[in-house]
Amino acid sequence: MNLSDLLRFEHVAIQCHDNPDADAIAAGFGLYSYFTARGIKAVLFYGGRAPVTKPNLVKMLTLCDIPLEHHPQSRDWPGLLITVDCQYGAGNVSPMRGAEVAVIDHHIQECAMPPLHDIRPYLGACSTLVWLLMQEAGFCLEEIGAERGTALLTALYYGLYTDTGGFSEVRHPLDRDLRDQDGIVERIIKTLRSSNLSLEDLSIASSALAELSFDPQGGFALVGVRYCDPNLLGFISDLVLQVDTVDIAVVYCETPGGIKYSVRSITWDCKASDLAAWFAADGLGSGGGHAEKAGGWISGRNLAEHMPNLSAADYFNRRLREYRAAYVIIDHATAPHVEDMLPEASRARRYTKRPLRLAYVPAEKLPRGSELHIRMLEGDISLASRPDTYLMIGLLGEVYPISRAVFDSAYRPLDAPLQLSLPYTPSVLDKTTGIRLPLDNIARPCMRLGGGVVHAALLTKGVKVFTRWDADNYLKGEKGDWLVWPEEDPTDIYIITAPLFPLLYAGENTEGNAEADDGGEVLNCAGLDVAAQPGAVRARKKPVIVTVRFARQAGVSATREGPVPYAIGDALITGSSGETWPVQPAHFSAAYTPLAPTQAGQEGSYQALPIEVDALRMSAHFYLSLKNGGLLWGPRGDWLVQYGDGEHGIIGALLFASIYEILRIPEKS
């Protein structure tokens, strides 16, 4: 994404995350300066209840003349809304609305992205990303005057300084470029460095540390802090993690609306981001961040409903121990003993690979000798690009590595045009150069040959797998996912998510019973014109009554047919059988009407309108990639449905009969 592409908007609202830190403020200030210099009306703001009070941030706003506004209430913004140093729909960003939305961030992606986004998690700070984007757009500091230009550069420098632990975590060349820029106002930097705490902050921190609790068996420290600026939590957790016996630090603060918390981790088998998300699971709130630094928020009301009469300290202690017990750690080096490490109910069985049309990138198309960062469905890994490293592109656009020897034995290159029907362009990051490499232009089609045997275990509890591709980063599987390894090479252990497994392997039906299927190829139905298919019917929705609530934050709905991402404002519909699925606002208003006393736009009871669809009952296993990144699949006998706007869906046979009536077979021209 180039900033010049955004100049078509007359108004740009730039939103920092709630309780903004120096990096968010600096990066937002950079965007504000760029757009105002180009004659665009811009506003820089943050939401949430708490105003900025941390001494260094207050002085930063004054000394760098940053026009940051506080808007605690949700509102509509004209034109473009950009979230900076955060992601639209994430839990640390108050819900706001814009005619269009963009995301500029340096954290790992944690929710569905709008079409306009630039996320680079390899950078140490969002300030670096904005500095780079301004350069790519041809912006010079002189355009805003010498004084404001040096103030902006100083703010970006300080944003990088604070987000990388005083430059101790600066590794990428782009971060180093910003760090080494001339023109920084040292007087301002010295003032800000010496203003991290107020005397009251020091008193709060010392009182909290005096009550620190430590679990020597789990290696984690827990610190409760009285009400304070949320940025103080990160300072305390960084300090606690410097104790030699502490591997995990959790610092929390109870506020009028809930609990704010900070997580730090240096242990190899527990990423701070995973633990932060674990605390906020089950709809309690939201959490995320980096492998070593993360944080989150828990709704006080949700916690009271979920676990009444439980103190915050008891909650965190309980969840820490549950997290430690929830996962089995598996290293590829222990492959001969993998089955002994799994629960008895997770015994492995033999399966055969289905023949599938996929895509691959041969080694000669990859940068030789570079370190590649690969985003997989089950986690992120890094690996060195070698002469025998191939990359595969899966059904959902997921990228994963294999060796050339494995490719030659299990895949056949196709002499045919590449056909990728994916919701986004698959890519990998070259960490050596910082360049993201799109794979669609260099990928080639191939056929995965059927019949290869694997051993697979349906997981009855979570696992973390350290593969031979990356010994430092684990892939995470949850209950219901599958642990898989080839029969001929038990050291090549990997995770397959629950929706993907029946598409990739044959030998057991979708409910996990030992009933073999035919092992035939699975059909890709993306873009299929249903009405033109033999056997297609015209059907009309019955006036069924459903229960509706509206998403207050982005998430993923675990439907029977697979995980479907949803965004803020989407309708979350629950049917008579308890099935739940998300619907975008425009589609919802055209397909459902409220039942009194529910008013339109309110949560409550709605009735389906008699919408007509084209439908086809499938005679083979099939799957469907969605534009928002979801993947649906269905066994033979399920229905493929095409709505009037061209969108597709999958409906189980029993459910289809209960909510649709068949009208006629469409006439063929």
Side-chain angles (χ1 to χ4, degrees):
M1 183 175 70
N2 194 296
L3 292 183
S4 60
D5 297 333
L6 307 181
L7 296 178
R8 56 189 173 91
F9 297 96
E10 294 183 358
H11 190 284
V12 176
I14 304 157
Q15 182 180 9
C16 304
H17 53 74
D18 301 353
N19 306 303
D21 56 12
D23 185 41
I25 295 172
F29 184 35
L31 295 175
Y32 173 88
S33 300
Y34 170 80
F35 287 111
T36 55
R38 295 292 189 264
I40 306 296
K41 296 179 181 178
V43 61
L44 174 63
F45 75 99
Y46 66 100
R49 299 178 180 179
V52 171
T53 59
K54 201 163 182 285
N56 63 325
L57 300 181
V58 173
K59 290 184 178 180
M60 179 185 180
L61 296 176
T62 301
L63 295 175
C64 296
D65 194 21
I66 301 175
L68 181 66
E69 301 177 9
H70 184 206
H71 291 270
Q73 302 299 322
S74 180
R75 57 168 291 181
D76 293 302
W77 295 93
L80 179 67
L81 172 67
I82 304 176
T83 61
V84 61
D85 196 38
C86 54
Q87 297 169 25
Y88 185 78
N92 65 338
V93 189
S94 291
M96 298 284 175
R97 296 170 298 275
E100 289 196 48
V101 176
V103 172
I104 296 176
D105 191 22
H106 75 119
H107 297 95
I108 293 174
Q109 183 175 332
E110 56 179 298
C111 50
M113 286 295 103
L116 295 173
H117 70 272
D118 197 327
I119 300 178
R120 309 195 193 189
Y122 55 90
L123 294 177
C126 198
S127 293
T128 302
L129 175 53
V130 170
W131 172 250
L132 175 64
L133 291 175
M134 291 192 299
Q135 290 179 310
E136 291 177 345
F139 176 77
C140 298
L141 294 177
E142 291 77 11
E143 294 183 42
I144 57 176
E147 185 174 348
R148 289 192 61 79
T150 55
L152 171 57
L153 181 59
T154 301
L156 293 170
Y157 176 94
Y158 186 63
L160 175 63
Y161 173 85
T162 57
D163 239 37
T164 57
F167 299 138
S168 63
E169 300 167 20
V170 166
R171 298 182 181 90
H172 198 276
L174 293 173
D175 291 319
R176 296 198 296 269
D177 286 346
L178 175 56
R179 179 197 62 187
D180 297 337
Q181 285 294 315
D182 293 328
I184 307 298
V185 183
E186 290 291 346
R187 171 183 53 81
I188 294 179
I189 297 299
K190 289 180 180 179
T191 300
L192 299 181
R193 282 174 177 168
S194 61
S195 303
N196 279 317
L197 298 176
S198 66
L199 287 173
E200 182 182 6
D201 291 337
L202 186 61
S203 174
I204 292 173
S206 61
S207 298
L209 291 171
E211 301 298 324
L212 177 148
S213 65
F214 177 66
D215 184 325
Q217 184 175 1
F220 57 79
L222 184 64
V223 182
V225 183
R226 73 172 188 262
Y227 187 70
C228 64
D229 186 317
N231 287 295
L232 185 59
L233 304 182
F235 171 83
I236 297 174
S237 56
D238 286 335
L239 182 62
V240 172
L241 201 64
Q242 296 183 43
V243 178
D244 62 346
T245 56
V246 175
D247 296 324
I248 299 171
V250 178
V251 181
Y252 67 91
C253 172
E254 296 187 65
T255 73
I259 305 171
K260 182 74 176 175
Y261 58 90
S262 173
V263 181
R264 299 291 186 266
S265 175
I266 56 171
T267 183
W268 71 300
D269 60 353
C270 175
K271 295 177 182 177
S273 53
D274 285 346
L275 187 55
W278 175 269
F279 288 141
D282 301 322
L284 294 184
S286 61
H290 292 295
E292 296 185 2
K293 296 183 178 183
W297 161 263
I298 295 172
S299 164
R301 182 181 64 182
N302 292 348
L303 182 60
E305 293 175 354
H306 188 70
M307 295 183 177
N309 304 318
L310 192 68
S311 69
D314 289 340
Y315 173 75
F316 283 111
N317 270 307
R318 174 188 294 188
R319 291 295 282 166
L320 276 163
R321 292 184 174 88
E322 289 174 346
Y323 180 82
R324 281 305 207 180
Y327 294 94
V328 174
I329 308 301
I330 295 176
D331 193 302
H332 75 279
T334 63
H337 309 288
V338 164
E339 290 198 72
D340 296 334
M341 303 171 68
L342 295 173
E344 183 63 30
S346 296
R347 295 298 88 185
R349 298 184 178 93
R350 298 171 81 244
Y351 296 84
T352 57
K353 297 178 181 179
R354 295 183 183 276
L356 292 172
R357 185 186 176 101
L358 302 173
Y360 75 103
V361 179
E364 59 266 23
K365 295 292 184 178
L366 298 172
R368 186 66 57 85
S370 292
E371 185 179 6
L372 302 179
H373 181 84
I374 301 176
R375 170 145 297 154
M376 303 173 67
L377 293 177
E378 307 79 18
D380 293 355
I381 65 172
S382 296
L383 58 90
S385 176
R386 298 188 175 94
D388 65 341
T389 301
Y390 275 39
L391 296 181
M392 299 301 303
I393 301 176
L395 298 176
L396 192 56
E398 72 277 13
V399 180
Y400 54 95
I402 66 171
S403 67
R404 179 169 184 170
V406 171
F407 180 86
D408 290 342
S409 65
Y411 297 83
R412 176 170 57 85
L414 297 177
D415 185 16
L418 180 65
Q419 297 178 350
L420 288 177
S421 178
L422 302 172
Y424 62 93
T425 301
S427 63
V428 296
L429 172 68
D430 183 346
K431 295 180 70 173
T432 305
T433 63
I435 297 174
R436 184 163 292 281
L437 179 66
L439 300 181
D440 54 337
N441 292 328
I442 58 176
R444 301 172 182 174
C446 66
M447 176 65 72
R448 189 179 81 168
L449 306 177
V453 176
V454 301
H455 291 252
L458 178 64
L459 297 176
T460 57
K461 70 177 300 182
V463 300
K464 295 179 179 179
V465 179
F466 290 87
T467 71
R468 67 185 185 191
W469 295 101
D470 187 348
D472 298 320
N473 293 290
Y474 56 77
L475 303 181
K476 187 152 62 78
E478 304 292 351
K479 181 180 178 181
D481 290 341
W482 294 79
L483 188 69
V484 183
W485 60 93
E487 186 169 67
E488 71 277 7
D489 185 5
T491 67
D492 189 14
I493 307 172
Y494 49 94
I495 299 289
I496 300 294
T497 57
L500 273 177
F501 186 83
L503 304 181
L504 301 178
Y505 301 97
E508 197 167 68
N509 72 3
T510 57
E511 278 68 42
N513 300 321
E515 178 184 315
D517 60 33
D518 59 12
E521 184 176 359
V522 181
L523 302 178
N524 179 3
C525 294
L528 188 72
D529 184 358
V530 172
Q533 305 306 309
V537 301
R538 190 73 174 173
R540 180 172 59 204
K541 203 161 194 179
K542 298 177 182 179
V544 295
I545 297 175
V546 297
T547 302
V548 178
R549 62 186 179 90
F550 296 95
R552 298 179 181 178
Q553 61 186 45
V556 178
S557 178
T559 72
R560 169 191 173 275
E561 295 76 23
V564 181
Y566 57 84
I568 293 175
D570 284 1
L572 304 179
I573 300 176
T574 301
S576 58
S577 301
E579 72 281 5
T580 300
W581 67 97
V583 178
Q584 295 178 354
H587 295 175
F588 174 76
S589 60
Y592 295 88
T593 185
L595 294 178
T598 303
Q599 300 294 317
Q602 293 181 344
E603 298 185 346
S605 297
Y606 285 74
Q607 186 175 57
L609 297 173
I611 302 297
E612 294 188 8
V613 300
D614 295 311
L616 177 67
R617 193 167 191 183
M618 303 298 292
S619 58
H621 293 285
F622 64 109
Y623 69 97
L624 182 67
S625 297
L626 302 179
K627 293 179 180 179
N628 62 1
L631 175 71
L632 304 181
W633 71 276
R636 68 172 64 89
D638 277 8
W639 289 82
L640 175 66
V641 174
Q642 186 171 12
Y643 304 99
D645 58 2
E647 296 290 333
H648 292 73
I650 295 177
I651 302 177
L654 293 178
L655 182 60
F656 184 87
S658 67
I659 63 176
Y660 281 96
E661 56 180 337
I662 296 176
L663 301 177
R664 65 184 185 279
I665 299 176
E667 296 181 2
K668 306 297 191 299
S669 57

